Amino acid sequence: MYRSHVLVCGGTGCTSSGSQQIMEALKAEIAKNDLTEEVSVVQTGCHGLCALGPIMIIYPDATFYSMVKVEDIPEIVAEHLLKGRVVTRLLYNETVTPAGSVKALIDTDFYKKQHRIALRNCGIINPEVIEEYIGTGGYEALGKVLTEMTPDDVIQCLLDSGLRGRGGGGFPTGLKWKLAKQNDADQKYVCCNADEGDPGAFMDRSVLEGDPHAVLEAMAIAGYAIGASQGYIYVRAEYPIAVERLKIAINQAREMELLGNNIFGSDFSFDIDLRLGAGAFVCGEETALMTSIEGNRGEPRPRPPFPAQKGLFGKPTILNNVETYANIPQIILHGAQWFASMGTEKSKGTKVFALGGKIHNTGLVEIPMGTTLREVIEEIGGGIPNGKKFKAAQTGGPSGGCIPAEHFDIPIDYDNLISIGSMMGSGGLIVMDEDDCMVDIAKFFLEFTVEESCGKCTPCRVGTKRMLEILTKITKGQATMEDLDKLEELCYYIKDNSLCGLGQTAPNPVLSTLRYFRDEYEAHIKEKRCPAGVCKALLSYRIDADKCRGCTLCARNCPNNAISGTVRNPHVIDQDKCIKCGACMEKCKFGAIYKK
């Protein structure tokens, strides 16, 4: 019986910061101090607060250490694990009260407004040990379904819960399953979309890394509900930790006969295989994903017929994303009304977001639907760094739109976001401050879309390139107001005529920035000026002769020798040589260099 358990985050973020080396050093130091029989080291998934990784939590007192380094390990072992004294300098500062005592992690600003359902086990259990998942109630929902419920009961439970697809479209999950069940076939399939490709999105990856069995269990439940015996998880190969843990989880479930033939002694058989994607964004679209699983080039197919009628290999198929599946075992165990009691009238339950951009607490959060954007950014996210003002938040990535400051208090749910020109998307939430240029942001997302277009349909293949050309002209100060009209016209044409959902939503970042920040577009065109000082073609760096002290620091740090001047005399920037990197302004100690 261990007296202490040391949980170390083994998610991608913390792994990239050295958590594997920390675990190795920790085990070695524990052995060195003869604590192997008393202290257990547990590798977990992401706990959410990625900005402070690598993260270590020591139980039973739940001490939360952040930004731990290998060189900190001897002190943690000697002080905390041997002597019971907390190493205060490594504590997450939000857990420390003014009186100097340590408060529970759940009471910190980052966690207290969250409600973890999809993420309930992430950061808590070792995802590579099936017994730990079972110890938290894992596979009880599957057992309940197979012994107490009919397929129609399962589907009705999901319909009553109000669960909608968390992959972006928000289609009712129970209705999707119902349609697939109604179509008779000799074979049906259950697919999981783990091809998370939005810039800034890492929700599904974190669930797979921290709680893979929740997805396997839910897919088996789906198979029982619609009459399928085979499932596929389509996960991008760029997620090596997630892929490895899925392989381990599938093998463990098979060994314990939780996948395979006659599960729980019933006549229900179901198995799951992995298919690795090569990183094509279009394969996040359901028909393109199925085409890729079939071994063909990942391109979308016209709908109808919909996958519930004719999907993978021409058979009835359901496809849900990772987060959607992660909710299902809990809905089965706790009941539809439990889930429906959270959220808003038309958007039930919780939503996982990946917070990124200009915000203190970058990481993973799970909030009840209806939580306001202000609460997410100012309270959970800790606000904007460096005293800057909030300007906008991009949700839904390249398929979404921006939420401006005027809608800072909007409750986040499917319908509210659509009403203001944005969308939920899979859950990426990128925060921007006053220093961001919204024209440049729209250009960034469109560059991504152009690069990732499969090219099957002309509106997306050609239209997005023409849009990008116009945006590039605007950021260089070469566009006219006629170009702006043409850009808007192209947006609506592509939206109405593209083959798949990705092409149809590609213009959203442009349309939403035009809707709320048209003045910035017009400043680029009419005044040849970037209000945020981001677009380099419209930018120049100048030296205020009255403030310059002639210290030569700017000249010494200029990578292109564009600054000249003598000691103690004002310097000058040669605009023809300046590459506009900003190094001079960053190094100037007297505030003499400014952007124009």
Side-chain angles (χ1 to χ4, degrees):
M1 190 73 173
Y2 296 111
R3 62 173 173 82
S4 294
H5 296 268
V6 185
L7 276 56
V8 181
C9 175
T12 293
C14 288
T15 297
S16 68
S17 300
S19 65
Q20 296 300 316
Q21 292 87 340
I22 286 169
M23 275 186 278
E24 291 169 9
L26 184 61
K27 290 175 182 177
E29 196 68 22
I30 286 171
K32 179 181 173 182
N33 286 272
D34 297 323
L35 293 174
T36 306
E37 300 297 320
E38 299 179 49
V39 179
S40 167
V41 178
V42 181
Q43 174 182 256
T44 72
C46 177
H47 209 288
L49 203 47
C50 303
L52 297 178
I55 286 169
M56 177 187 293
I57 305 176
I58 299 181
Y59 288 96
D61 47 346
T63 303
F64 189 101
Y65 291 131
S66 62
M67 303 181 79
V68 178
K69 299 180 177 62
V70 170
E71 51 265 34
D72 298 322
I73 298 304
E75 184 180 2
I76 291 173
V77 173
E79 290 296 308
H80 193 136
L81 297 179
L82 267 176
K83 301 174 185 176
R85 297 193 295 223
V86 173
V87 183
T88 54
R89 69 178 182 84
L90 295 175
L91 286 175
Y92 169 37
N93 57 13
E94 288 290 323
T95 64
V96 182
T97 68
S101 60
V102 180
K103 63 181 177 181
L105 193 61
I106 194 66
D107 294 328
T108 63
D109 289 339
F110 183 77
Y111 288 103
K112 66 185 178 184
K113 288 202 170 183
Q114 294 192 49
H115 189 87
R116 292 162 72 93
I117 300 175
L119 300 178
R120 73 184 189 95
N121 284 331
C122 293
I124 304 297
I125 67 170
N126 186 337
E128 297 183 11
V129 179
I130 190 172
E131 288 83 3
E132 294 204 12
Y133 178 68
I134 292 172
T136 64
Y139 290 104
E140 284 184 18
L142 179 58
K144 178 179 179 180
V145 160
L146 295 180
T147 58
E148 300 177 21
M149 301 174 74
T150 66
D152 287 333
D153 291 337
V154 176
I155 291 170
Q156 191 60 50
C157 180
L158 291 186
L159 287 169
D160 293 343
S161 74
L163 176 66
R164 295 172 64 172
R166 299 308 198 235
F171 192 80
T173 304
L175 180 56
K176 180 182 287 190
W177 291 19
K178 182 178 181 180
L179 293 172
K181 181 181 182 296
Q182 290 173 348
N183 291 296
D184 293 328
D186 57 346
Q187 178 64 279
K188 296 181 183 180
Y189 295 102
V190 173
C191 290
C192 174
N193 182 353
D195 191 63
E196 188 175 48
D198 291 10
F202 50 94
M203 303 77 56
D204 291 350
R205 182 190 72 191
S206 297
V207 172
L208 293 177
E209 290 176 352
D211 196 16
H213 284 284
V215 177
L216 305 187
E217 181 178 14
M219 290 179 69
I221 292 170
Y224 174 74
I226 73 165
S229 61
Q230 179 63 48
Y232 290 98
I233 299 177
Y234 189 87
V235 57
R236 53 180 46 213
E238 294 140 315
Y239 286 178
I241 297 176
V243 170
E244 181 61 24
R245 290 180 184 165
L246 277 171
K247 288 179 179 178
I248 291 170
I250 289 171
N251 287 334
Q252 289 174 341
R254 286 172 178 163
E255 288 172 5
M256 297 192 73
E257 299 182 354
L258 297 167
L259 287 178
N261 295 323
N262 306 115
I263 299 171
F264 280 104
S266 69
D267 59 0
F268 172 64
S269 299
F270 187 81
D271 204 0
I272 296 173
D273 289 311
L274 294 183
R275 291 293 182 269
L276 303 188
F281 181 62
V282 73
C283 287
E285 194 276 337
E286 61 178 6
T287 61
L289 184 152
M290 293 176 195
T291 304
S292 182
I293 291 178
E294 292 167 355
N296 301 311
R297 176 186 172 91
E299 292 180 334
R301 302 192 285 244
R303 298 179 304 174
F306 292 95
Q309 303 164 293
K310 188 178 180 182
L312 187 62
F313 302 115
K315 304 295 184 179
T317 305
I318 59 168
L319 174 73
N320 292 110
N321 84 324
V322 171
E323 185 186 342
T324 309
Y325 282 124
N327 282 285
I328 288 169
Q330 296 305 299
I331 293 173
I332 297 296
L333 286 178
H334 299 290
Q337 294 309 311
W338 165 80
F339 189 81
S341 67
M342 294 173 273
T344 62
E345 183 181 354
K346 294 182 179 180
S347 300
K348 304 298 186 182
T350 61
K351 181 73 190 78
V352 179
F353 285 98
L355 280 182
K358 308 287 186 63
I359 192 163
H360 277 290
N361 298 332
T362 56
L364 209 61
V365 304
E366 184 171 1
I367 55 170
M369 293 279 195
T371 304
T372 66
L373 182 63
R374 183 186 297 275
E375 289 176 289
V376 174
I377 292 174
E378 290 192 345
E379 297 179 38
I380 298 172
I384 315 294
N386 306 316
K388 298 289 185 177
K389 293 181 181 177
F390 170 78
K391 186 172 188 176
Q394 179 83 9
T395 62
S399 301
C402 70
I403 306 172
E406 65 189 79
H407 292 303
F408 204 24
D409 291 302
I410 190 168
I412 298 173
D413 67 14
Y414 290 100
D415 301 310
N416 281 334
L417 293 188
I418 289 173
S419 72
I420 61 170
S422 186
M423 65 182 290
M424 187 79 72
S426 58
L429 200 160
I430 300 174
V431 181
M432 291 160 276
D433 68 13
E434 58 196 271
D435 293 335
D436 285 299
C437 170
M438 301 311 294
V439 183
D440 185 65
I441 292 293
K443 179 170 168 277
F444 165 78
F445 282 113
L446 202 60
E447 285 172 337
F448 179 87
T449 304
V450 168
E451 179 70 23
E452 293 292 337
S453 173
C454 75
K456 185 172 183 177
C457 73
T458 304
C460 181
R461 182 182 70 248
V462 179
T464 55
K465 286 184 178 179
R466 299 293 85 85
M467 286 176 62
L468 181 57
E469 288 169 1
I470 295 173
L471 278 173
T472 302
K473 285 177 67 177
I474 293 173
T475 57
K476 290 183 176 180
Q478 299 170 352
T480 65
M481 290 303 292
E482 288 74 20
D483 287 318
L484 195 62
D485 293 337
K486 175 62 74 174
L487 177 65
E488 199 161 9
E489 182 183 342
L490 269 171
C491 284
Y492 288 111
Y493 181 84
I494 294 166
K495 199 174 183 67
D496 292 339
N497 293 282
S498 291
L499 173 62
C500 78
L502 297 184
Q504 292 159 13
T505 56
N508 284 352
V510 177
L511 286 171
S512 64
T513 51
L514 277 171
R515 178 176 177 178
Y516 296 112
F517 299 97
R518 184 175 286 266
D519 58 324
E520 288 196 27
Y521 281 87
E522 293 180 354
H524 284 70
I525 295 169
K526 295 178 180 178
E527 304 171 33
K528 312 301 179 189
R529 177 179 66 88
C530 175
V534 171
C535 299
K536 287 188 176 182
L538 304 179
L539 180 66
S540 65
Y541 286 87
R542 309 282 176 165
I543 297 178
D544 186 333
D546 294 332
K547 292 182 178 180
C548 182
R549 298 291 184 268
C551 69
T552 75
L553 194 60
C554 59
R556 282 182 280 139
N557 283 277
C558 178
N560 210 39
N561 298 317
I563 303 176
S564 59
T566 57
V567 177
R568 296 191 180 88
N569 289 303
H571 283 46
V572 177
I573 300 176
D574 184 337
Q575 297 301 322
D576 292 331
K577 289 185 177 181
C578 179
I579 60 173
K580 304 172 185 179
C581 65
C584 56
M585 190 169 79
E586 183 182 331
K587 295 295 182 180
C588 182
K589 297 179 179 180
F590 305 103
I593 302 178
Y594 61 96
K595 288 190 288 188
K596 183 178 179 181

